[in-house]
Amino acid sequence: MAAQKMTKQERSWVLYDVGNSAFVMLSTALIPVYFASLAEPGSSVTVAWGLAETVASLVLALLMPVLGSLADVAGNKKKFLVGTIGTGALFCAALGVPATAVPFLVVYVVAAIMLNGSMVFYDAFLVDATTEDRFDTVSSHGYAWGYIGSCIPFVACLAVVLGGSAVGIDTVTGMRIAFVITALWWVAFSVPLLRNVKQVHGKPRPERLLADSVRGLWTTLKRIAGNRKLLLFMVAYFFYIDGVHTVIKMSTSYGTDLGLDSTALVLALLVTQFVAFPAAIAYGRLAKRFGTMRMLMVGVFAYACIVLYAAFCMRTAAQFWVLAICVGLFQGGIQALSRSEFGKLIPKENANEYFGFFDIFGKYAAVMGTLMVSAFTMATGNPSMGVLSLGIIFVAGFICLVLSERAK
């Protein structure tokens, strides 16, 4: 019902989450399993996958502030969005070409950079698609419909990969088809956003576009540093979103290293999507009643408990299902409310530039998280210790959220 009350621009913005979430889902569930089949025997999937995600996050974090500043110029935002979507979808479809691990990771890293780059521009379009009083609601619906919408192409991919043998399609060919299905879905659900949402907020085009945009980054950094509430919120986000992203990215590879059945892992993650759909919408409504910051604190505390459970209790497929359901209850809400709260704190005409820095905090955090898991796993020979290390950053994020809420 809430979705039906949305404007055309709001619905179009929400639909892009449906499109890009298909690749997010595939890279969480099936791609690590497929990569494991390409990896050298005896190598750790967790370590290799963690390093690949680290490289993608690092490159994106270096690029996005400059690209975000350029995209803030009136008329530029959609051009950058089209470029990242087109390049990302092309490399997504090309994932079926490499036959060995290293070339596959190279193609994946490029696709991941383009996917996450497009999501920075997409997030910044929130200030153009709706009004500030509806940020929580619209952002929550974006994640909610993204979760449920991504299940459609994912189920189709599962049918081809797991059931393709019935019609003579082997697993490798099935995965190649799955990559193409995901790329087409991504592009198709990008069209409404590109057609119906226009850049409302933007800064005038400077005489020296690149030089002035780069120079403006220093001004933005000083503004962030001078706004204690915004700075503390970004530091909090740096910590807790690291844990969220790391759990999302490495849950399947962690389960694989524990020896859990890949089919059970994938199906459990599919259940996560269905749980996350109503949970994300509920989070948006609860934020109206109890406040956005308070609900973010609830989510961060819950994730700290999830990490403890994963490290000490998760050993069987059934326990992985419990983990997946718990993640689904809080994942969408914490991401959606982080996006909407940040949108309330920043100047709208510089949304891309600020979201670029917001992305730096998220992506450099992802570098820290995936690297921590890989390092602790290699040092101890126990993946559980790598997962347990994430508890530290959730605690740090919670403390900074409390300080941000109290700041003037």
Side-chain angles (χ1 to χ4, degrees):
M1 292 294 293
Q4 292 174 357
K5 295 177 183 178
M6 288 186 178
T7 65
K8 183 178 182 180
Q9 289 76 19
E10 290 172 342
R11 289 195 302 270
S12 299
W13 185 87
V14 165
L15 282 175
Y16 183 67
D17 238 322
V18 176
N20 70 59
S21 293
F23 185 38
V24 174
M25 181 65 171
L26 196 72
S27 62
T28 302
L30 281 184
I31 293 180
V33 177
Y34 178 69
F35 170 70
S37 69
L38 301 178
E40 292 291 331
S43 61
S44 173
V45 174
T46 301
V47 172
W49 195 251
L51 292 175
E53 293 286 4
T54 298
V55 171
S57 298
L58 183 61
V59 172
L60 188 67
L62 292 171
L63 287 177
M64 285 317 300
V66 176
L67 295 183
S69 181
L70 292 171
D72 275 326
V73 175
N76 275 5
K77 190 183 294 188
K78 193 169 290 187
K79 295 175 183 177
F80 281 89
L81 187 61
V82 169
T84 50
I85 292 172
T87 306
L90 180 64
F91 275 80
C92 174
L95 280 169
V97 176
T100 55
V102 174
F104 177 85
L105 283 180
V106 171
V107 176
Y108 173 77
V109 165
V110 175
I113 290 171
M114 292 299 109
L115 169 72
N116 289 288
S118 76
M119 291 173 72
V120 174
F121 302 124
Y122 165 65
D123 288 345
F125 257 117
L126 176 64
V127 304
D128 302 301
T130 189
T131 54
E132 186 170 317
D133 62 305
R134 289 180 56 78
F135 280 2
D136 288 340
T137 298
V138 176
S139 182
S140 296
H141 273 80
Y143 274 104
W145 287 102
Y147 286 129
I148 202 70
S150 66
C151 292
I152 298 173
F154 184 68
V155 168
C157 293
L158 280 180
V160 174
V161 174
L162 301 180
S165 58
V167 292
I169 299 176
D170 59 68
T171 302
V172 174
T173 303
M175 280 301 302
R176 289 172 177 166
I177 296 173
F179 294 139
V180 174
I181 291 173
T182 302
L184 292 175
W185 182 273
W186 182 5
V187 171
F189 281 88
S190 304
V191 173
L193 170 62
L194 298 176
R195 289 184 60 183
N196 301 324
V197 182
K198 302 187 184 302
Q199 184 176 356
V200 176
H201 304 283
K203 57 188 180 184
R205 180 176 291 272
E207 292 183 6
R208 296 173 297 177
L209 181 59
L210 182 58
D212 289 351
S213 295
V214 173
R215 190 178 298 111
L217 294 178
W218 178 245
T219 302
T220 300
L221 276 172
K222 290 193 292 185
R223 288 175 181 170
I224 292 173
N227 186 332
R228 188 166 184 267
K229 188 177 186 67
L230 176 60
L231 180 61
L232 283 170
F233 178 77
M234 292 180 71
V235 172
Y237 179 78
F238 173 84
F239 285 111
Y240 71 71
I241 207 65
D242 164 77
V244 172
H245 286 165
T246 304
V247 169
I248 293 170
K249 292 174 180 177
M250 303 195 69
S251 56
T252 303
S253 56
Y254 173 59
T256 300
D257 271 3
L258 290 177
L260 303 184
D261 177 70
S262 59
T263 301
L265 296 178
V266 169
L267 292 176
L269 289 173
L270 185 59
V271 170
T272 302
Q273 306 301 99
F274 287 98
V275 173
F277 172 66
I281 294 176
Y283 240 76
R285 293 177 179 176
L286 290 170
K288 279 190 173 182
R289 182 173 179 181
F290 299 106
T292 306
M293 292 291 283
R294 188 170 297 176
M295 291 308 300
L296 281 172
M297 292 178 197
V298 170
V300 173
F301 176 79
Y303 255 97
C305 295
I306 288 170
V307 166
L308 291 175
Y309 173 82
F312 292 113
C313 302
M314 199 188 81
R315 296 294 181 271
T316 67
Q319 291 166 344
F320 188 86
W321 279 68
V322 173
L323 176 74
I325 291 171
C326 291
V327 168
L329 290 173
F330 299 99
Q331 176 179 304
I334 200 170
Q335 292 175 308
L337 295 189
S338 297
R339 176 169 63 188
S340 60
E341 179 67 16
F342 186 73
K344 297 172 189 176
L345 296 173
I346 63 173
K348 308 302 180 285
E349 67 275 7
N350 296 99
N352 278 290
E353 190 171 320
Y354 274 81
F355 270 106
F357 282 108
F358 190 61
D359 192 70
I360 275 189
F361 278 68
K363 297 309 175 187
Y364 273 132
V367 170
M368 179 179 66
T370 52
L371 202 55
M372 281 176 61
V373 173
S374 297
F376 273 81
T377 300
M378 287 190 292
T380 64
N382 184 358
S384 296
M385 295 306 298
V387 172
L388 185 61
S389 67
L390 297 177
I392 301 170
I393 54 183
F394 279 120
V395 172
F398 185 88
I399 293 172
C400 291
L401 271 181
V402 173
L403 295 175
S404 176
E405 185 184 35
R406 294 177 179 176
K408 300 287 186 177

